[in-house]
Amino acid sequence: MENKTVNIKINGNDYTVDGSLTILKACRQAGISIPTLCYMENICEEGSCGICVVEVAKSHTLQRACITQVYDGMEIQTNTSRVRQARKTILELILANHPQDCLNCAASEICELRKISYDLGIDETPFEPTKDLDLPLDTTSPAIVRDLNKCILCRRCVKECEIVQSVNVIEIAGRGINSKVSCFMDKGLGESYCTNCGQCIKVCPVGALTEKNDVDRVWDYLADPKKHVVVQTAPAVRVALGEEFGMPVGSLVTGKMAAGVRRLGFDGVFDTDFAADLTILEEGTEFIGRLTKVLNGESAHLPLITSCSPGWIKFIEHFFPKCLPNVSSCKSPQQMFGAVTKTYYAQQKNLDPRDVICVSVMPCTAKKYECLRPEMDDAFDHWKDKLMLKDEDHFQDVDVAITTRELGRMMKEVGIDFEHLPEESFDSPLGESTGAAVIFGATGGVMEAALRTVYEVVTGQALPKVELEIVRGMKGIRTADIPMVSADGKEIIAKVAIASGLGNARVLLEEVSNGTSPYHFIEIMACPGGCLNGGGQPISNDPNVCEKRAAALYSQDEAITIRKSHDNPEIKKIYENYFEKPNSHLAHELLHTSYVERDLYELEKEDN
Amino acid sequence: MKFYRMHVLVAEDTRSIMAGAKRVEEALVEEIRLAGLEDEIRVVPTGSLGFSDKDQVAIAIYPDNIIYCPVLVSTVPEIVEEHFLKGRIIKALAHPMEQKEVTMEERTSENQMNLDIQKRILLENVGKIDPENIQEYIAADGYVALEKALFSLTPEKVIDEVKKSELRGRGGAGFPTGLKWQFTRPNPGPVKYVICNADEGEPGTFKDREIMEGDPHKMIEGMILAAYAVGGTHGYIYIRGEYALSIQRLQKAIDACYEYGLLGKNILGTDFSFELCIHSGAGAYICGEETALINSIEGKRGEPRKKPPYPPSQGLWQKPTLVNNVETFANIPAIISNGGEWYQSIGVEGSRGTKLFSLMGDINWKGTIEIPFGTSVGDIIDNIGHGVRYDRKLKGVILGGSSGSLLVPEELNTPVDFHSLAHIEAGPGSGSIVVMDETRCIVDICLNIAEFFRHESCGKCTPCREGTAQICHLLEMIASGNGLPEDIDHLEKISQTMMDASFCPLGQTAPSVLRQALKKYRQEFLDHIHNSNCPAGVCNMNFTEEV
């Protein structure tokens, strides 16, 4: 039934199309574009904005192209004056209640409302505002700023949060002109169970949702001559930053990125990839430890679940707190890097850790929250007694996290001609990394990197093929069986699963929660597709953005000679000189962390 | 069984109770007891007698066929003394319409004065039986239709009769009821819902309340018959929370049905089972839209769903669902008892049967009326409503609620039926007739309606959310003397876009009165704008008179 074709007319021309299509899809196939504001395929198909209306013969009213299915004999008109008039009036009505401050808007260049208004030839709205456009910003979240004045109530963020992420922290409240996107009990995003994943920012067609802008804080640190400011750039940044400067999606710009940040004035230009390799050794060791215990009949929490993604961590803390023992105690690479910078690196460089500032560039908004977590100050604790630090000396392991987009803005601000920058490399000692680390940026990458090391440690042999294609791809949930024969001849099949997007994570977590999870090791990334599609990445309308960025990461992996984390010479050195061995006492002090069981609704606490 | 020589029926609908009907009932019982007549005269609470608009208490006395109105607690002793004891009718207290005694014959007869053009099928028991007593409904041939259906008709045959009757839904859209049932029946599944839409939210409309307060069993019987016909297993009555008395009486009626084996498992000993409960709404107008209503029952935000899927295939909890209006269900028992052909003989081509209207506004006689389709609006106003009050001139009529249409005096000879009304871009809509006299300002009326829709738009779609607010703003400007000539164009443009592109009927019909007002009363808008003048003297303009 679903593959039945139907004959339809669009603007007088005959077409034969799949009968399951909507008018919108049928028109797009026919090369006729229909503007939409609220529509996101399979995610937001509410038909709320009304911009996509078309005329259908025998229909009394105009029909929404995005949600109306074609039928045999349907006659569609997409450009009659009635259609144009309706679309224009709808836009004018929206614009009447939308602040006209495009010059000051973070979404200025990518605003879909601005573009559609231009396309439809609207120069000014004839209507006056009908609601208060002076609402205070919601700045309660350390990661995401909400400006409800700019919100056009398209509901894309609501649906993204509900359908893709299964978090449901935002919903429409109020009626009619007073309706707005709201958290539970009208609280701020930062006072609710938001995971800070930032996927809502990526789907917002206007500038109602943006990351918290920390650019000025970075400039202040850079301007302070007393501070030794180092920067770390996450794996996924290098495959997206170019887009901020008009380069094609999937451009790999590692060398230009290093050159660019160096020109911003950082004292050390390092790579989070280094910490990713460190993570593999710590987490791989933890996994082997737990697996061995279970194989020996002892009890240990399996599956082990990765902990790199801070949006995911907050998700499990709120929704599945009982499963927290399954989460790896390893800090994320960002946080490992921060702790290492202010201990090992400061020591090597003979710097006062109080003067070392660690800035991270992340594809992620949740990282802004992560670096503020109170437990993420292990370097301070480490030095506290040794240097007799006082409370006012307190510092975080990572001082400030900015997104890929914010880095792009900093470079534009100082006039860096990004495309024509030379290729430069990272500084030593925290700039060396492997192919295993770079693929952290794609979903399945942590799993693949971990298995490259775990396989060798368990079997004493190298992987037959270093590329583990079986764990790659963009499917939301993937599983694989990895057969291994241990050095003493024992046959082990490691069952692994990978989920990206919190909605998919929830599926795997339900199994863990009710004790039916068959897996030993699970990788979870909060954002669909992994970090390369993080909430802090450049906003792209390319439908294949994930695949293209992933391809760039895998190509970099292939181009690097060292492709396994345990082969990284700087990593070997740090264990020799500092941590001694993975999961050592000092490693636990600096590279591991603990988690918090959180409520969903913290009403009582507010009352007290 | 006890025999009484006289029955005193006290109208106890919401408005009568607010006017003191309960106190009057208590006073009657007490005075009758003091007079020693308690074994001869029985006091019975009943539904509206058709005088509810007066904010006065009315009582009907059988077998004398006298209606007294207004009755006060203080007049009760006189009634008991004069009428009940001495047998003398108190002419001064008899219903004052034309200052003569109004008898029950006159009220129901087809050839007498004010009610002569009414035909009571739906309201036949209202004001005659005690709505809280199932036995009285059964004594009035209640549940005979259900018995007939269960024991001698197949479900398909029941649907056939409804189709034959040509009954069209009374919720506003006028979809053929039999067809809707036919669509619902074949959808498979162990659970199928039958929902009664009793969320009567249209301003000025209270005709469903009349049924629920006066004869709740009729509607329930209709629902059980519908469930039998479409294979329904569970039913909801979705009723607005403000209808406290209706909820109370419906609940009593449901409880009695369970007790009598008319609801629950194996109804009347057959294989047919049907569970029914009440779901009270929280007062959102949009929840009268069937998919928003379904969302509301599911505990979700009251917003319309995209269609398809339509409720008959996927409704409440994704199960096949039949949603009909109170009045639609109340028509069913008579159709099944008397046959579809009988029903089809009432009314006119394309609009069969009778229709309830809430008649109100600047008119002499207000209340809920029941007329056969085909009666003209003017007839209703002149003959049932006794014309415009204070002998003023008629300005216009809002037909079918705030989302309905605006009729000018020249259009009043239009017969009330789907087809004739469609010619003048009107329809029976929610079933209300609001009469406006010459003292009304059309801008003020439109603003009033606009404020209602601004408040009731759910906010889901842009045209309705922004349009209702913008229309309200523009009308406020015009009403306050700050209107600009282009405001009229803007109002027309927004109205057109809302009609064309709103997601659901709420937004599509919200500007319909305004649109017709701009066409039919344009000069009045222009007077407000160009001369800062409200011809009716209603709008408070911001200008000072020259000294």
Side-chain angles (χ1 to χ4, degrees), chain B residues 360-365 378 380-397 409 412 434-440:
Chain B
M360 60 175 307
D362 305 324
I363 197 169
N364 281 313
W365 189 93
I380 294 171
I381 294 171
D382 293 340
N383 297 325
I384 304 180
H386 285 264
V388 180
R389 65 178 178 185
Y390 310 131
D391 288 324
R392 284 181 185 147
K393 260 178 68 189
L394 177 76
K395 178 160 191 164
V397 172
L412 293 190
V434 180
V435 177
M436 297 178 294
D437 69 25
E438 57 195 333
T439 65
R440 304 289 171 176

Side-chain angles (χ1 to χ4, degrees), chain B residues 204-207 327 355-359 367-371 373 380 399-400 416 421 427-433:
Chain B
T205 310
F206 42 82
K207 47 102 185 165
E327 188 184 340
K355 177 80 192 85
L356 295 185
F357 279 98
S358 304
L359 181 58
T368 300
I369 60 165
E370 181 173 354
I371 48 140
F373 275 112
I380 294 171
L399 179 65
V416 174
L421 288 174
S430 68
S432 84
I433 297 174

Side-chain angles (χ1 to χ4, degrees), chain B residues 180-212:
Chain B
K180 203 183 224 182
W181 291 20
Q182 197 186 330
F183 291 153
T184 313
R185 171 146 188 88
N187 292 311
V191 176
K192 205 177 277 187
Y193 293 102
V194 173
I195 297 176
C196 176
N197 183 349
D199 192 52
E200 188 169 47
E202 196 72 46
T205 310
F206 42 82
K207 47 102 185 165
D208 289 343
R209 191 178 71 189
E210 200 92 347
I211 298 172
M212 294 186 285

Side-chain angles (χ1 to χ4, degrees), chain B residues 16 38 47 71 103 105 130 133 146 152 191 196 213 215 217 270 303 317 354 439 461 463 509 513-514 517 537 547:
Chain B
S16 301
E38 68 264 38
V71 178
T103 67
E105 269 93 35
D130 179 355
N133 188 340
L146 179 64
S152 62
V191 176
C196 176
E213 289 179 356
D215 197 10
H217 283 285
T270 65
E303 281 184 353
W317 315 113
T354 58
T439 65
C461 78
T509 58
V513 168
L514 172 67
V547 184

Side-chain angles (χ1 to χ4, degrees), chain B residues 108-150:
Chain B
T108 50
S109 151
E110 305 219 352
N111 304 312
Q112 294 285 323
M113 47 156 287
N114 71 320
L115 295 154
D116 61 353
I117 57 169
Q118 293 204 49
K119 182 172 181 69
R120 294 196 150 215
I121 296 171
L122 296 156
L123 300 181
E124 58 173 345
N125 295 330
V126 176
K128 284 190 186 168
I129 64 165
D130 179 355
E132 301 195 9
N133 188 340
I134 189 172
Q135 287 183 345
E136 295 208 6
Y137 179 69
I138 291 170
D141 289 342
Y143 293 108
V144 166
L146 179 64
E147 193 193 343
K148 178 180 172 187
L150 288 186

